[in-house]
C-alpha cells in the first residue's frame, strides 16, 4: 500500500499498460485501440480528480499518508511537509473540540462523515472545504480514511458577507427601535444564560450598570468565533432572573409566553418563543417592547375605575381589592358599614343637586373623623364603608362609631338651608367575624340591619345571633318561593257591609299562607319581609289574579257584591309593567274593571308623586276604583285626597278601635265629614263592637268592615254568609 501512495500516477499507468502489451496483446490491433481508449479516459479522470478534488489518506492515529497535488496547492504546504504529519497543521481553531470528537466517533465506527471545515493555509489565510471522510479497510488488516474535499471558500465568503450585512442591518434596527431582543441558551454546565442581549432598551439599561450589550460582531462571523453564553444575573437582577427562569419552564415545553417586566422606570412587554432545532427545543428568543405610556394610561384608567366620581373616594371595586389584599396578608381590620337614614326622602323632596351636595359634605365629615386611622369607600347611593387596619379594641371602636353618628347629625348648610341627617352603623372584625370579603361584608351588613330595625341612629357590633336571624331570613325567603310554586298561599275575603241598607258592598281579599300544609301564617309575619326582598311582586301578582278570578266566578254564580278590593304594595306600583299586568289579568279572568278596587297605603305618597299620579289616572281611566287604605295611621295629608283620583277613604283600625276614648272620636268624625265633602265613600276598618257601630251611624259613616259582622271568610263560606245576612 505504501509503494502505491509513493508512485506517480502517470508512471504507474504507463507500467501497467506496457506489461499488458508485452504479454500477449501486441498483435491485436482492435484490443490495443480499446486499451488505449480506456487508459486515455483513466488519465483524463485522474486529471479531473487532481484538478478539482483535494484528496488525502490518513491512518487511525491521524497521520497523513497521502495527499494529491491539489491538497498541496490549496494549503501551500509541499508533500514532504504534510506526509507523516497530522491535520492539526492546517487547523484554524474555528471549530470547537466537540466538532472533531463527533467526526472521529463517526468514522471510527465505520460510517462516512460529511461536513464543512474551515482550515488555515501556510500563509495564515483561512479557506473552507466541503469534506467527505470515508473509512477504507485494507483486506481486513487495517483501516485507512480517505478524505475528499472541494473548495467552497468563495461561497462561504459570500455567505459571511451576507451575514455581515444582515448583522449590520440588525444592529441599525435594534439600536434605533425602542425595543429589547435576547436569546437564551444552555451553557456547558446546563445552565441558562444570554447568548444575545441587545436593542436600544437593553443598551440604555446596561449602560447605567457599566455593561455592554451581548451580540455577534462582524469579525466573529468572519472568523466563525462562537459567542459565549453569559450568566443572566450579571445583566439583570436576581428577581428578574427568577421571573425569566419561571417563564422559561413553559417555553421549553413549546409554549409562547408573555409577561410584563420593569427596567428601571420603563415597563416592557416581553414575549418569549421557543427555538426548535431538529425537533428539539434548544433555547428561546425574547422580544421586549416599551409599553410605559400604555401602562401609565392603563394605571390611570384603573385608578379611575376604583374611584367614586361624585365624592372622590374609593368605590366598591376598590373596597373588595383592598380587603382581599389585607386578608391575604393576614392583617386584622375593622369594617364599619355606614348607611344614611332618610337620605332618599331628602333627595326626592329637595332634588338631586341638593342630595349630591349633601353626600359630598357627609363624605368630607366622615373622612375628617377617620383621617388618620381609616380609609373611606362609597359603595352605594347613600352607603359608605370605613376600613381600619390593625387590631381593634371593640368597646373603643363602638364608642368612636357613636361619636361619628353625633358628628353626622350636626346640621349641614346647603344653599342657605339647614339640613339634618343621621346615620346607622354596623361593625364587623377580621378575622373574628369571617375569613373572606363576602363573610366580613355580610356580618357588617347584618349588624347594620339590626341598627336600623332598632330605630336607626345607632352603631351595632356584629353578634353570632345576628347570623341566626340572617339564616332564618334566608330560610323564610326559600320557603316563600317554594310556597308560591307549591300553591301554599290562598285568599280569604272580609265583607264590607253597608250600615244603611244592610247589604254587602264588597269584599277585601286578604292573603294567608298554609306553610308546608302544617301551619297558617298571618300576613304580618311574611309580607314585610316579602317587600324587603322583592318577593312581594310575585305575591302581589298571585293575589290580584286569584281575587279577580274568584270575583268573576261569583258574578257567574250570582253572588251579590259591588267590588273586590286588593291591596297593592308601593314596590308593585314602581314596576314598569304594573299597568300591563293589571290589564292582562283582567282580560285573562274576564272580570269587568269596575268590579276591581285597588287599595293603596299612605306611604305610597312618599314616592315619585308625578309618576304616581299618571299611574292612578291610568287605572281610573280603565274603570278601576281606587281606595286610600289605613288613613289616619301616619302623617295624613288631606291635600292628597283632592289631588289623587281616590274613590274610597278607609279609616285605620287604630282610630276606630279607640273612637270612644279621648280625641279619636273628633278625629274620626272629621275624617268622615271631609271624605263626604270630597265625594268619597268612607269605610271604617276594624269595627268590633255595637257601640262603635252606633257612633259610626250617628256620624253618617256608610260602610264598615270588621269582626262585628264577620271575620275574613274562606271561599266556600262566602255564599252561606250572603244567605245568612
Amino acid at each position: 500500500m505504501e509503494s502505491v501512495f509513493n508512485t506517480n500516477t502517470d508512471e504507474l499507468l504507463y507500467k501497467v499498460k506496457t506489461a499488458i502489451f508485452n504479454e500477449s496483446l501486441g498483435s491485436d490491433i482492435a484490443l490495443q485501440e480499446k486499451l488505449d481508449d480506456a487508459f486515455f479516459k483513466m488519465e483524463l479522470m485522474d486529471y479531473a480528480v487532481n484538478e478539482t478534488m483535494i484528496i488525502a489518506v490518513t491512518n487511525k492515529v491521524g497521520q497523513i499518508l497521502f495527499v494529491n497535488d491539489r491538497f498541496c496547492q490549496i494549503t501551500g504546504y509541499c508533500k514532504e511537509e504534510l506526509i507523516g504529519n497530522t491535520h492539526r497543521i492546517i487547523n484554524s481553531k474555528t471549530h470547537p473540540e466537540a466538532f472533531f470528537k463527533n467526526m472521529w466517533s463517526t468514522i471510527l465506527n465505520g460510517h462516512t462523515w460529511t461536513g464543512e471545515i474551515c482550515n488555515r493555509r501556510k500563509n495564515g489565510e483561512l479557506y473552507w472545504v466541503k469534506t467527505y471522510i470515508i473509512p477504507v479497510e485494507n483486506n481486513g488488516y487495517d483501516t485507512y480514511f480517505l478524505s475528499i474535499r472541494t473548495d467552497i471558500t468563495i461561497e462561504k465568503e459570500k455567505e459571511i458577507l451576507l451575514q455581515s450585512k444582515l448583522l449590520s442591518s440588525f444592529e441599525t434596527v435594534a439600536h434605533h427601535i425602542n425595543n429589547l431582543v435576547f436569546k437564551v441558551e444552555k451553557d456547558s454546565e446546563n445552565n441558562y444564560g444570554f447568548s444575545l442581549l441587545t436593542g436600544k432598551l437593553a443598551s440604555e439599561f446596561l449602560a447605567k450598570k457599566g455593561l455592554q450589550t451581548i451580540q455577534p460582531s462582524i469579525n466573529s462571523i468572519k472568523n466563525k468565533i462562537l459567542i459565549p453564553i453569559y450568566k443572566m444575573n450579571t445583566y439583570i437582577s436576581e428577581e428578574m432572573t427568577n421571573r425569566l427562569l419561571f417563564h422559561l419552564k413553559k417555553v421549553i415545553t413549546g409554549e409562547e409566553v408573555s409577561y410584563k417586566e420593569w427596567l428601571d422606570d420603563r415597563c416592557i412587554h416581553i414575549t418569549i418563543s421557543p427555538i426548535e432545532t431538529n425537533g428539539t427545543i434548544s433555547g428561546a428568543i425574547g422580544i421586549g417592547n416599551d409599553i410605559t405610556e400604555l401602562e401609565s394610561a392603563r394605571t390611570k384608567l384603573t385608578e379611575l375605575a376604583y374611584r367614586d366620581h361624585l365624592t372622590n373616594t374609593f368605590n366598591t371595586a376598590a373596597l373588595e381589592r383592598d380587603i382581599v389584599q389585607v386578608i391575604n396578608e393576614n392583617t386584622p381590620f375593622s369594617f364599619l358599614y355606614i348607611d344614611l337614614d332618610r337620605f332618599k326622602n331628602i333627595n326626592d323632596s329637595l332634588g338631586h343637586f341638593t342630595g349630591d351636595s349633601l353626600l359630598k359634605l357627609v363624605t368630607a365629615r366622615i373622612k375628617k373623623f377617620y383621617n388618620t386611622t381609616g380609609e373611606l369607600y362609597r359603595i352605594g347611593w347613600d352607603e359608605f364603608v370605613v376600613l381600619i387596619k390593625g387590631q381593634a379594641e371593640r368597646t373603643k371602636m363602638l364608642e368612636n362609631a357613636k361619636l361619628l353618628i353625633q358628628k353626622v347629625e350636626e346640621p349641614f348648610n346647603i344653599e342657605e338651608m339647614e339640613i339634618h341627617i343621621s346615620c346607622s352603623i354596623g361593625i364587623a372584625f377580621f378575622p373574628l367575624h369571617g375569613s373572606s370579603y363576602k363573610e366580613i361584608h355580610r356580618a357588617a351588613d347584618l349588624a347594620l340591619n339590626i341598627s336600623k330595625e332598632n330605630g336607626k341612629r345607632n352603631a351595632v357590633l356584629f353578634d353570632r345571633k345576628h347570623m341566626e336571624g340572617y339564616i332564618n331570613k334566608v330560610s323564610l325567603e326559600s320557603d316563600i318561593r317554594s310556597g308560591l310554586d307549591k300553591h301554599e298561599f290562598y285568599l280569604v275575603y272580609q265583607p264590607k257591609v253597608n250600615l244603611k241598607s244592610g247589604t254587602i258592598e264588597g269584599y277585601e281579599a286578604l292573603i294567608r299562607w298554609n306553610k308546608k300544609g302544617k301551619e297558617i301564617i298571618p300576613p304580618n309575619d311574611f309580607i314585610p319581609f316579602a317587600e324587603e326582598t322583592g318577593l312581594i311582586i310575585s305575591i302581589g301578582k298571585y293575589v290580584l289574579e286569584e281575587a279577580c278570578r274568584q270575583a268573576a266566578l261569583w258574578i257567574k254564580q250570582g253572588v251579590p257584591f259591588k267590588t273586590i278590593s286588593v291591596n297593592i304594595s308601593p314596590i308593585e306600583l314602581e314596576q314598569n309593567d304594573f299597568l300591563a299586568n293589571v290589564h292582562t289579568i283582567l282580560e285573562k279572568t274576564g272580570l269587568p274593571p269596575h268590579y276591581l278596587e285597588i287599595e293603596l297605603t299612605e306611604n305610597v305618597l312618599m314616592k315619585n308623586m308625578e309618576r304616581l299620579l299618571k299611574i292612578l289616572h291610568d287605572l281610573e281611566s280603565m274603570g278601576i276604583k281606587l281606595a286610600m287604605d289605613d288613613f289616619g295611621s301616619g302623617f295624613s295629608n288631606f291635600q292628597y285626597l283632592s289631588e289623587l283620583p281616590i274613590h274610597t277613604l278607609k279609616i285605620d283600625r287604630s282610630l276606630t278601635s279607640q273612637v270612644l276614648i279621648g280625641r279619636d272620636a273628633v278625629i274620626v268624625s272629621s275624617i268622615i265629614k271631609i271624605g263626604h265633602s270630597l265625594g268619597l265613600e268612607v269605610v271604617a276598618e276594624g269595627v268590633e263592637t255595637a257601640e262603635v257601630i252606633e257612633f259610626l251611624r250617628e256620624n253618617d259613616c256608610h260602610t264598615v268592615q270588621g269582626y262585628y259582622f264577620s271575620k275574613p271568610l274562606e271561599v266556600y263560606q262566602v255564599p252561606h254568609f250572603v244567605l245568612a245576612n
Side-chain angles (χ1 to χ4, degrees), residues 69 197 213 265 333 346 361 366 407 463 512 582 658 676:
D69 294 340
L197 179 59
T213 57
D265 59 346
F333 64 85
I346 295 173
L361 293 174
I366 298 174
K407 277 289 182 185
D463 191 283
R512 297 291 185 267
V582 172
Q658 303 292 323
H676 287 165

Side-chain angles (χ1 to χ4, degrees), residues 314-552:
F314 287 117
N315 59 15
T316 304
L319 175 65
E320 183 171 0
R321 175 200 64 185
D322 294 349
I323 286 186
V324 168
Q325 180 179 336
V326 293
I327 288 176
N328 289 338
E329 295 169 354
N330 202 31
T331 302
F333 64 85
S334 304
F335 187 106
L336 279 70
Y337 199 164
I338 304 168
D339 181 70
L340 301 182
D341 303 325
R342 300 183 303 101
F343 174 76
K344 182 169 175 44
N345 295 342
I346 295 173
N347 194 64
D348 289 346
S349 58
L350 299 180
H352 291 288
F353 179 82
T354 301
D356 289 349
S357 299
L358 178 59
L359 283 173
K360 291 177 183 178
L361 293 174
V362 170
T363 299
R365 195 170 286 183
I366 298 174
K367 286 183 74 172
K368 184 178 180 181
F369 189 86
Y370 285 109
N371 183 37
T372 59
T373 56
E375 191 68 63
L376 179 63
Y377 305 78
R378 182 180 176 220
I379 65 169
W381 183 244
D382 58 352
E383 296 176 332
F384 299 85
V385 167
V386 176
L387 179 63
I388 303 174
K389 296 181 183 178
Q391 197 68 45
E393 202 284 303
R394 299 181 67 184
T395 304
K396 183 67 174 176
M397 188 64 64
L398 186 61
E399 290 176 355
N400 285 339
K402 291 180 178 179
L403 288 175
L404 173 64
I405 293 172
Q406 294 177 16
K407 277 289 182 185
V408 171
E409 288 180 345
E410 293 177 4
F412 294 92
N413 292 308
I414 301 175
E415 293 185 333
E416 300 181 355
M417 286 187 297
E418 190 174 89
I419 299 176
H420 294 262
I421 195 167
S422 61
C423 66
S424 303
I425 302 176
I427 306 172
F429 303 101
F430 172 81
L432 180 63
H433 297 140
S435 59
S436 67
Y437 168 75
K438 183 178 179 181
E439 290 177 354
I440 296 297
H441 194 293
R442 182 174 61 188
D445 191 15
L446 292 174
L448 175 62
N449 287 338
I450 298 301
S451 172
K452 297 178 81 68
E453 288 173 5
N454 293 339
K456 306 178 182 179
R457 302 178 62 241
N458 195 15
V460 174
L461 295 175
F462 175 76
D463 191 283
R464 291 297 172 187
K465 64 183 180 182
H466 300 157
M467 182 59 70
E468 294 174 7
Y470 168 77
I471 293 173
N472 290 337
K473 286 185 176 181
V474 171
S475 176
L476 178 58
E477 181 176 356
S478 176
D479 288 344
I480 291 175
R481 293 184 187 277
S482 175
L484 286 167
D485 292 338
K486 296 179 180 179
H487 308 290
E488 293 176 0
F489 292 91
Y490 65 98
L491 299 184
V492 293
Y493 302 89
Q494 187 167 44
K496 293 189 292 184
V497 179
N498 189 301
L499 291 180
K500 287 187 175 181
S501 63
T503 58
I504 297 170
E505 293 288 314
Y507 297 90
E508 180 179 357
L510 303 170
I511 192 168
R512 297 291 185 267
W513 181 14
N514 185 9
K515 186 179 178 183
K516 298 180 180 179
K518 296 179 180 179
E519 59 177 326
I520 305 300
I521 309 297
N524 287 343
D525 289 352
F526 65 86
I527 290 297
F529 177 75
E531 291 181 330
E532 179 184 331
T533 58
L535 286 170
I536 193 65
I537 296 170
S538 298
I539 292 175
K541 285 182 181 179
Y542 161 75
V543 172
L544 182 60
E545 183 171 342
E546 178 61 18
C548 291
R549 186 195 65 78
Q550 185 59 55

Side-chain angles (χ1 to χ4, degrees), residues 138-347:
N138 181 21
N139 297 323
Y141 293 107
D142 208 348
T143 300
Y144 298 89
F145 303 106
L146 173 64
S147 64
I148 303 172
R149 302 175 173 90
T150 55
D151 187 3
I152 58 170
T153 304
I154 294 175
E155 288 81 358
K156 274 294 179 181
E157 286 177 349
K158 290 179 180 178
E159 181 183 328
I160 290 171
L161 180 61
L162 177 61
Q163 290 177 344
S164 299
K165 289 181 178 179
L166 290 173
L167 175 61
S168 178
S169 298
F170 171 77
E171 288 177 345
T172 301
V173 172
H175 284 84
H176 286 84
I177 296 179
N178 208 27
N179 64 3
L180 167 75
V181 182
F182 64 88
K183 184 179 180 182
V184 176
E185 296 181 274
K186 284 188 175 181
D187 59 19
S188 58
E189 297 178 354
N190 207 34
N191 295 319
Y192 281 111
F194 290 124
S195 59
L196 177 71
L197 179 59
T198 188
K200 187 176 180 181
L201 290 174
S203 179
E204 293 174 353
F205 173 71
L206 295 175
K208 295 176 183 178
K209 303 176 71 173
L211 298 170
Q212 292 184 340
T213 57
I214 304 170
Q215 63 186 38
S217 64
I218 294 175
N219 287 333
S220 67
I221 289 179
K222 287 182 177 179
N223 298 321
K224 296 300 289 184
I225 299 173
L226 294 179
I227 298 175
I229 297 174
Y230 298 88
K231 290 184 177 180
M232 292 181 179
N233 54 17
T234 302
Y235 292 85
I236 58 177
S237 68
E238 288 289 346
E239 293 80 4
M240 292 169 67
T241 299
N242 291 335
R243 282 191 290 272
L244 179 54
L245 290 173
F246 171 79
H247 292 298
L248 281 173
K249 291 178 182 178
K250 294 183 179 179
V251 175
I252 60 176
T253 65
E255 183 179 344
E256 186 175 88
V257 175
S258 296
Y259 69 103
K260 287 188 299 187
E261 188 61 82
W262 285 87
L263 296 182
D264 296 332
D265 59 346
R266 312 300 294 175
C267 184
I268 312 300
H269 181 270
I270 295 176
T271 300
I272 313 176
S273 304
I275 299 174
E276 188 173 326
T277 305
N278 298 325
T280 303
I281 295 174
S282 58
I285 190 77
I287 305 293
N289 294 301
D290 188 351
I291 59 167
T292 306
E293 292 184 7
L294 182 63
E295 183 68 10
S296 176
R298 189 197 65 80
T299 301
K300 289 177 181 177
L301 287 173
T302 301
E303 191 61 29
L304 287 174
Y306 286 124
R307 304 294 295 189
D308 174 60
H309 71 280
L310 177 65
T311 61
N312 197 32
T313 58
F314 287 117
N315 59 15
T316 304
L319 175 65
E320 183 171 0
R321 175 200 64 185
D322 294 349
I323 286 186
V324 168
Q325 180 179 336
V326 293
I327 288 176
N328 289 338
E329 295 169 354
N330 202 31
T331 302
F333 64 85
S334 304
F335 187 106
L336 279 70
Y337 199 164
I338 304 168
D339 181 70
L340 301 182
D341 303 325
R342 300 183 303 101
F343 174 76
K344 182 169 175 44
N345 295 342
I346 295 173
N347 194 64

